Amino acid sequence: MKKVVLFFLKPLSFLPALFMMYAIYSFSAQTGEVSGNLSYTVSYKIVEIGDQALDIGLQEDQISYYAGRIEYPVRKLAHMTEYFLLAVAVSFPFYVYGLRGFPLMLVAGLICVGFAAGDEYHQSFVAGRGPSKKDVMIDSIGVFAGIITVRIICWTFLAPFRIAKRLERRARRKEMSRRRSGTF
């Protein structure tokens, strides 16, 4: 019964990845104007919060100026962040189900970078948008940072279980060796 339940639950572990793909695709389907306005609004809010937190007292036009200055880096950081999250959502289930090391980097990387390339192609059909190899490279940085993060986190948190299994195997081998040699 447990195997049947796991058989049906395993595919559900990829739902967060599908959700991230949908979110990324939705952002890419926005027109250039809508996307630009969103980036500017986020940049404006960042400057506004920074102004309040640091008690600088910037005027409205100064906030607009600085928002315009940071809009491009904020936009590219958003690219990296969404693909970082996608890579985590893709890599974690693969890792838990046994895909580790280089094969994890390869499979999860190909899925996520392939999605990034396909998404850039999709943007070529959206008004005011276009495909960009540079964006795929920026997305790839987020992808590999996400995969490496999953590997580090899983390795760190699963290490006690690996050590316990190793100690258990050693104890069993010693016991088997004692039984074969006749020393109890």
Side-chain angles (χ1 to χ4, degrees):
M1 180 66 173
K2 183 179 177 182
K3 287 186 179 190
V4 172
V5 171
L6 286 176
F7 176 79
F8 287 107
L9 287 180
K10 275 187 178 184
L12 295 178
S13 65
F14 287 97
L15 281 178
L18 294 174
F19 172 77
M20 277 308 303
M21 288 176 172
Y22 175 77
I24 291 168
Y25 187 84
S26 295
F27 281 126
S28 293
Q30 294 175 339
T31 65
E33 184 179 341
V34 172
S35 179
N37 287 340
L38 178 61
S39 295
Y40 179 78
T41 302
V42 170
S43 300
Y44 189 91
K45 199 66 173 164
I46 290 170
V47 174
E48 201 172 49
I49 290 170
D51 178 45
Q52 291 170 358
L54 300 173
D55 198 25
I56 298 171
L58 295 175
Q59 301 298 317
E60 187 79 23
D61 61 327
Q62 291 174 307
I63 293 174
S64 283
Y65 170 76
Y66 289 117
R69 296 278 313 239
I70 68 167
E71 182 181 358
Y72 182 79
V74 165
R75 186 180 195 86
K76 298 311 168 190
L77 189 58
H79 266 267
M80 278 196 300
T81 302
E82 57 189 12
Y83 278 91
F84 173 89
L85 294 173
L86 175 62
V88 168
V90 168
S91 300
F92 186 69
F94 281 139
Y95 190 96
V96 170
Y97 299 126
L99 192 60
R100 307 229 163 97
F102 182 74
L104 175 68
M105 296 279 292
L106 185 66
V107 171
L110 284 173
I111 289 169
C112 295
V113 173
F115 185 79
D119 189 51
E120 287 300 318
Y121 177 70
H122 160 248
Q123 286 182 26
S124 67
F125 299 104
V126 178
R129 306 286 295 265
S132 167
K133 291 177 188 172
K134 185 177 181 181
D135 281 351
V136 174
M137 294 305 296
I138 290 169
D139 298 342
S140 298
I141 293 168
V143 165
F144 289 105
I147 295 169
I148 290 168
T149 300
V150 166
R151 289 186 66 196
I152 290 169
I153 289 171
C154 288
W155 188 84
T156 302
F157 287 107
L158 296 177
F161 298 108
R162 284 193 310 274
I163 292 168
K165 278 186 177 180
R166 192 176 313 131
L167 292 173
E168 186 180 312
R169 281 193 306 265
R170 282 184 192 161
R172 268 190 271 145
R173 279 195 302 254
K174 281 184 181 180
E175 182 63 31
M176 297 285 279
S177 176
R178 283 187 203 139
R179 287 183 184 195
R180 281 189 214 130
S181 67
T183 57
F184 291 96

